Amino acid sequence: MSNRLVRLFIFSLCAILLAGSASIQAAYAKPLLQEGKKELYQRVVSHPEACLYESADEKSTVVNGNLRAFTPLYVYERNGNWLNVGKTTNAPDGWIAADKTTAWDQAMTLLFTNRSERDPVLFFKTEGDLNALCSAQDMEQQLAAMQAGVAKGQADDRIMAAEPSASAVNSKSFYLMPILQTKEPFEGTKFLKVASINPGSKGSKTDTAGKDGKPRTGIAIVIDTTISMGPYIDQCKSMVKAIFDKLAQDKLTDHVGLAIVAFRNSTDASPKVEYTTKIISDFVTVENRAQLETSLKELNECKASTHSYAEDSLAGVYVAAESLSWQDYDSRIILLVTDAGPLPPTDRYRSVFMEPRELNDYTRKKGIWTVVVHVKSPSGKKDHESAQKAYQELSLVDGKSQYQTVKTDNAKQGALYFRRVGEAMAKTMASMVSYTAEGRLITRPKSEAAAAQKQDTPEDMADRIGYAMQLDFLGRANKTSAPEVVSSWITDMDLQRLAQGQHVPNVEVAVMLTKAQLSDLSDQVQTIVDNAERTKKSDAKDFFQGILSASAKSARDPNAPTSGKTLAELGVLGEFLDGLPYKSAIMDLTEDDWYRKSVGEQTAFINRLKSKLVRYQEYDADKQLWESFGVNNANERVCRIPLDMLP
């Protein structure tokens, strides 16, 4: 071989090796860590019309000119005004101009609350503009004028954008509203600097959710059929017939469906109870009413006693949410009626392992509102306080419970109140259909300051839910977009209601986690549960050491001293939980705290974490909650987890 050929061969080989080395380096590249973190990477969100380039030069080849607006990106390298970024932690995808991004390390995002008791959110250009409004003597008048002007399309130099007024933001759209900064200049409300929202497509304005452009509502009655519930069962049968008669009269034969789910208690504890839950009928409309009326013959009071005063009401709600044909309905309501509280977490016969708060989150993610009619009869006096707390948590929506209580020793009187609630809900849902068909909005119910301490009447509650549901339906039907705002200031509470002494949230805080992060969080929580149960049973004094030894990721040094240190300080829980604006009894737990707890308190602590674990499993399994942003790796898909669902 000639010298020239040898040199050419060596040159080619070197080129191949260098290219291979570059490929290997790219394959093993990792994003930049956030300052002071060991596992948490730097992230940004892209602005509208941002592009990815082959190199840090806008004259270089565009590798992604259709980058979805507000895509979360990991930062691999910084070069002046350029960032080398990637959608995953595996490898960078290209370069983006830094001024076309917003830093978003903490991954906190906001979700709009329902609009039944608040005005549309205004997005202010500066913190100063927002502060000036809140400091004004005539704040209420100025704010009312701003809202009126925005509704008419009038320009205001202080306002960059506003939440749509004629409908809610499309709940099916995976929008982002990242929190960049938080301040609390006034007691009772926070000022939030937010980045961009609505990464989804605006969609067609002619699309509708219902088959004929009208909302369809499913109302599932979940009824206690244990001893003492006979009058309520009779009233349920009568109410269903009356509702169908009214719907037929109004020619709404296909727009409101009714379903019935019965619940009792454990058949393992008391076999003669016959069932824990039973679907008496899936959704039926007026057109097929005979089918439901025939099924109602199976709705009867139990003849045998159950093992406890509390009943398995959470099982009834879960089965209704999980097993009924909700897919045919745009608006969804569960109406629970019972004279007993749910089985407590300590009852070994309970069949649902989510506690009321987690079950509430589960139903809300399915678009279901839960309304509870709780009959407080004198015989259950010892159960009343705990039952009320549980049912208020179960029916909570954006800070307000859909909870109705009836204090009576007269079962017939209580049954009539239950009927009043059911008929009010059906009447409002029927009105919503008519109003929507006519292109009219339901009038938003008035919210008086004094009403904060009062129970809504069934009619007021139904109107409030109906108003929120109509806006949500219109948001989905029209695929209403949230405004695209790169940087602005909002408040977390409705300012008009705050001025009246009420706290009505504008937004709910959530954290965007990847599937990998949720899996890691579940593993860590399971480790805590396992060791908590072990030390509770054996009276061992190595609770934290056991956690550190069992946790591969957090066991930096299993033998390190744990005295006085919290689980968070020991690195047990994910770094993405650090600095979040919520109080965590688990992150702040020290070993001394654990041993100071009574056996009952330790049991409650363990059951609370078990409920979270079940909810995490449901999150993981629900494909509709996860967004890919074009990433094929399932572990990189993201989900918005509300703060109160974190440990």
Side-chain angles (χ1 to χ4, degrees), residues 265-270 307-308 312 343-353 603 607 610:
N265 214 319
S266 171
T267 55
D268 291 336
S270 306
H307 76 280
S308 67
D312 206 352
L343 291 178
T346 52
D347 193 304
R348 67 190 180 97
Y349 291 110
R350 64 181 177 140
S351 59
V352 172
F353 294 94
T603 300
N607 287 332
K610 285 183 175 179

Coordinates of all heavy atoms in Angstrom, one line a residue, residues 265-270 307-308 312 343-353 603 607 610:
N265 N -72.2 -2.4 52.6 CA -71.0 -2.6 53.4 C -70.4 -3.9 53.1 O -70.8 -4.6 52.2 CB -71.3 -2.4 54.9 CG -70.1 -1.8 55.6 OD1 -68.9 -2.1 55.4 ND2 -70.4 -0.9 56.6
S266 N -69.4 -4.3 53.8 CA -68.6 -5.5 53.5 C -69.4 -6.8 53.7 O -70.1 -7.0 54.7 CB -67.4 -5.6 54.5 OG -66.7 -6.9 54.3
T267 N -69.4 -7.6 52.6 CA -70.0 -8.9 52.7 C -69.1 -9.9 53.4 O -69.6 -11.0 53.8 CB -70.4 -9.4 51.3 OG1 -69.2 -9.4 50.5 CG2 -71.4 -8.5 50.7
D268 N -67.8 -9.6 53.5 CA -66.9 -10.5 54.3 C -67.3 -10.4 55.7 O -67.3 -11.4 56.5 CB -65.5 -10.1 54.0 CG -65.0 -10.5 52.6 OD1 -65.6 -11.3 52.0 OD2 -64.0 -9.8 52.1
A269 N -67.5 -9.2 56.2 CA -67.9 -9.0 57.6 C -69.3 -9.5 57.9 O -69.6 -10.0 59.0 CB -67.7 -7.6 58.0
S270 N -70.2 -9.2 57.0 CA -71.6 -9.6 57.2 C -72.2 -10.1 55.9 O -72.7 -9.4 55.0 CB -72.4 -8.4 57.6 OG -71.9 -7.8 58.7
H307 N -71.6 -4.4 59.7 CA -70.6 -4.6 60.8 C -70.3 -3.3 61.6 O -69.6 -3.3 62.6 CB -69.3 -5.2 60.4 CG -68.4 -4.3 59.6 ND1 -68.6 -4.0 58.3 CD2 -67.3 -3.6 60.0 CE1 -67.7 -3.2 57.9 NE2 -66.9 -2.9 58.9
S308 N -70.7 -2.1 61.0 CA -70.4 -0.8 61.7 C -71.5 0.2 61.3 O -72.2 0.0 60.4 CB -69.0 -0.3 61.2 OG -69.1 0.0 59.8
D312 N -69.8 1.7 53.5 CA -68.8 1.9 52.5 C -69.2 2.8 51.3 O -69.3 2.4 50.2 CB -68.4 0.5 51.9 CG -67.0 0.5 51.4 OD1 -66.4 1.5 51.3 OD2 -66.5 -0.6 51.1
L343 N -66.5 4.4 55.7 CA -65.6 3.6 56.5 C -64.3 4.3 56.7 O -63.7 4.8 55.8 CB -65.4 2.2 55.9 CG -66.6 1.2 55.8 CD1 -66.2 0.0 55.1 CD2 -67.1 0.9 57.2
P344 N -63.8 4.3 57.9 CA -62.5 5.0 58.2 C -61.3 4.2 57.7 O -61.5 3.0 57.4 CB -62.5 5.2 59.7 CG -63.3 4.0 60.2 CD -64.4 3.8 59.2
P345 N -60.2 4.8 57.5 CA -59.0 4.1 57.0 C -58.6 2.9 57.9 O -57.9 2.0 57.4 CB -57.9 5.2 56.9 CG -58.7 6.5 56.9 CD -59.9 6.3 57.6
T346 N -59.0 3.0 59.1 CA -58.6 1.9 60.1 C -59.5 0.7 60.0 O -59.2 -0.4 60.6 CB -58.7 2.4 61.5 OG1 -59.9 3.0 61.7 CG2 -57.6 3.5 61.7
D347 N -60.6 0.8 59.2 CA -61.5 -0.4 59.1 C -60.9 -1.4 58.1 O -60.8 -1.1 56.9 CB -62.9 0.1 58.6 CG -63.9 -1.0 58.8 OD1 -63.8 -2.1 58.2 OD2 -65.0 -0.7 59.5
R348 N -60.7 -2.6 58.5 CA -60.0 -3.6 57.6 C -60.9 -4.1 56.6 O -60.5 -4.7 55.6 CB -59.5 -4.7 58.5 CG -60.5 -5.6 59.2 CD -59.9 -6.6 60.1 NE -60.8 -7.4 60.8 CZ -61.0 -8.7 60.4 NH1 -60.4 -9.2 59.4 NH2 -61.9 -9.4 61.1
Y349 N -62.2 -3.7 56.6 CA -63.2 -4.2 55.6 C -63.5 -3.2 54.5 O -64.2 -3.5 53.6 CB -64.5 -4.6 56.3 CG -64.4 -5.8 57.2 CD1 -64.5 -5.8 58.6 CD2 -64.2 -7.1 56.6 CE1 -64.4 -6.9 59.4 CE2 -64.1 -8.2 57.4 CZ -64.2 -8.1 58.8 OH -64.1 -9.2 59.5
R350 N -62.8 -2.1 54.6 CA -63.1 -1.1 53.5 C -62.6 -1.6 52.2 O -61.5 -2.3 52.2 CB -62.4 0.3 53.8 CG -60.9 0.2 53.9 CD -60.4 1.6 54.3 NE -58.9 1.5 54.4 CZ -58.1 2.5 54.0 NH1 -58.6 3.5 53.4 NH2 -56.8 2.3 54.2
S351 N -63.2 -1.3 51.1 CA -62.8 -1.8 49.8 C -62.1 -0.8 48.9 O -61.6 -1.1 47.9 CB -64.1 -2.3 49.1 OG -65.0 -1.3 48.9
V352 N -62.2 0.5 49.3 CA -61.5 1.6 48.5 C -60.4 2.1 49.4 O -60.7 2.5 50.6 CB -62.5 2.7 48.1 CG1 -61.7 3.8 47.5 CG2 -63.5 2.1 47.1
F353 N -59.2 2.2 49.0 CA -58.1 2.6 49.8 C -57.6 4.1 49.6 O -56.6 4.5 50.2 CB -56.9 1.6 49.6 CG -57.2 0.3 50.1 CD1 -57.7 -0.7 49.2 CD2 -57.1 -0.1 51.4 CE1 -58.0 -2.0 49.7 CE2 -57.4 -1.3 51.9 CZ -57.9 -2.3 51.0
T603 N -50.8 5.4 62.9 CA -51.7 4.7 62.0 C -52.3 5.6 61.0 O -52.3 5.3 59.8 CB -52.8 3.9 62.8 OG1 -52.2 3.0 63.7 CG2 -53.7 3.2 61.8
N607 N -51.8 5.5 56.9 CA -53.0 5.4 56.0 C -53.1 6.6 55.1 O -53.5 6.4 53.9 CB -54.3 5.3 56.9 CG -54.5 4.0 57.6 OD1 -54.0 3.0 57.1 ND2 -55.1 4.0 58.7
K610 N -50.7 5.8 52.3 CA -51.2 4.7 51.5 C -52.3 5.2 50.5 O -52.4 4.8 49.4 CB -51.9 3.6 52.4 CG -50.8 2.7 53.1 CD -51.5 1.6 53.9 CE -50.6 0.7 54.5 NZ -51.2 -0.4 55.3

